[in-house]
Amino acid sequence: MSTDPLLIERQGAVETWTMNDPATRNALSDAVVDGLLQACTRAAQDPALRIVVLTGAGGAFCAGGSLGGFARLIGQPLQAGETDPLLAMNRSFGDLLHALCDLPQLLVCRVDGPAMGGGFGLVCCADHVVATKRSVLGTPEVTLGLPPAQIAPFVWQRLGESAARQCLLQGLSYTAAQALQVGLVNEVIEEDSDGSWQQTLTRLMRAAPGAVASTKQLLRQLRCPVSDVRDAAAKAFAQGLRSAEAAQGLAAFARKQAAPWAMPALTPSPQERA
């Protein structure tokens, strides 16, 4: 099996981009983000390409951001005069979200298993999302002491303000059926089989490529554009990751314990139960 962090397979007018790090549930490492950015740049100049399929290997879509070599910075304040390496790392992910939304081709997410945090943000960029029944999609950042910074505008655009507030501020997770109800997912299938997937591609290929590109451009002009908060989001994320909250939240998550700010469920008093 290939160890490349991003696998690209071309079949006619359809290209599949597979995030390929099953050990981390396809977390968004620098290599994955850079590879996807390069793929977006190339695809934007490819008139023969009609559909881009974004998926993950090994029974997971994407577990979200990968801290990688930045783990040592969690909870550590920035030193005076130091340029924070977290800024460029997080800003690159914001660049990727914008690039995915700007693709002239149909962008289809093929979700099987978890799509969390940054993976949830990727899903929000898609023109069409197919998920298996076992898929779970969520934004757990605030429960870990972090802001869902770069994905927030895209979640807001996909779900609308009310649902986005509920999702982002509570760190909610959705089953595939729930995601279908709120409009995050467009199709739910029993399992990720080539047969059901081919039916979806056949239907999507009915759309003419030039008309698709033109329509996507019109839609970007008609609706309120996503605010470009990439720099502010990178700063908010970097500050969040260096905070004591993030150190406590991520440590609690690693121990499978509740974060210190999480209140236990209230037990009714005997008088309230009476």
Side-chain angles (χ1 to χ4, degrees):
M1 183 176 179
S2 175
T3 58
D4 292 341
L6 181 67
L7 304 178
I8 297 179
E9 181 184 5
R10 182 72 169 255
Q11 290 185 316
V14 179
E15 204 162 86
T16 300
W17 301 349
T18 304
M19 295 172 282
N20 184 41
D21 190 1
T24 67
R25 298 189 301 173
N26 305 315
L28 291 162
S29 65
D30 289 346
V32 171
V33 171
D34 290 345
L36 286 171
L37 274 169
Q38 292 175 25
C40 286
T41 299
R42 178 181 48 77
Q45 305 300 321
D46 186 350
L49 181 61
R50 296 178 58 183
I51 296 176
V52 171
V53 180
L54 181 59
T55 191
F61 181 72
C62 175
S66 172
L67 298 178
F70 297 110
R72 61 183 175 81
L73 303 179
I74 297 172
Q76 300 300 312
L78 187 66
Q79 300 301 312
E82 180 184 2
T83 299
D84 197 336
L86 293 169
L87 293 176
M89 178 269 292
N90 192 253
R91 167 67 194 237
S92 292
F93 179 55
D95 292 341
L96 172 59
L97 296 174
H98 281 265
L100 288 171
C101 285
D102 289 343
L103 284 173
Q105 297 87 6
L106 282 171
L107 174 62
V108 185
C109 280
R110 184 176 180 175
V111 180
D112 184 31
M116 310 301 286
F120 192 104
L122 296 177
V123 169
C124 288
C125 296
D127 299 305
H128 192 79
V129 181
V130 181
T132 62
K133 285 188 174 181
R134 70 173 186 162
S135 296
V136 179
L137 306 94
T139 55
E141 287 93 332
V142 292
T143 68
L144 303 174
L146 293 168
Q150 294 291 355
I151 72 170
F154 300 89
V155 177
W156 174 84
Q157 182 175 262
R158 181 84 180 191
L159 301 183
E161 183 172 357
S162 178
R165 281 180 177 271
Q166 185 179 31
C167 172
L168 295 172
L169 295 176
Q170 297 181 36
L172 297 184
S173 292
Y174 300 98
T175 64
Q178 291 168 333
L180 183 66
Q181 285 185 322
V182 300
L184 177 62
V185 164
N186 302 105
E187 284 184 68
V188 177
I189 58 178
E190 190 69 35
E191 60 182 355
D192 192 15
S193 67
D194 289 337
S196 61
W197 185 244
Q198 191 58 50
Q199 291 179 8
T200 297
L201 288 180
T202 299
R203 186 178 70 253
L204 294 175
M205 289 288 280
R206 292 171 56 196
V212 166
S214 179
T215 301
K216 289 186 68 170
Q217 187 175 37
L218 283 172
L219 289 174
R220 283 194 292 272
Q221 295 175 12
L222 287 171
R223 67 187 178 189
C224 182
V226 172
S227 298
D228 191 346
V229 297
R230 279 174 279 186
D231 289 332
K235 183 176 180 181
F237 180 82
Q239 291 175 340
L241 192 64
R242 290 181 177 279
S243 70
E245 269 191 356
Q248 294 168 345
L250 291 167
F253 176 75
R255 296 193 299 265
K256 298 184 179 180
Q257 297 175 349
W261 54 80
M263 291 179 61
L266 298 178
T267 303
S269 66
Q271 293 81 3
E272 292 173 322
R273 289 196 296 265

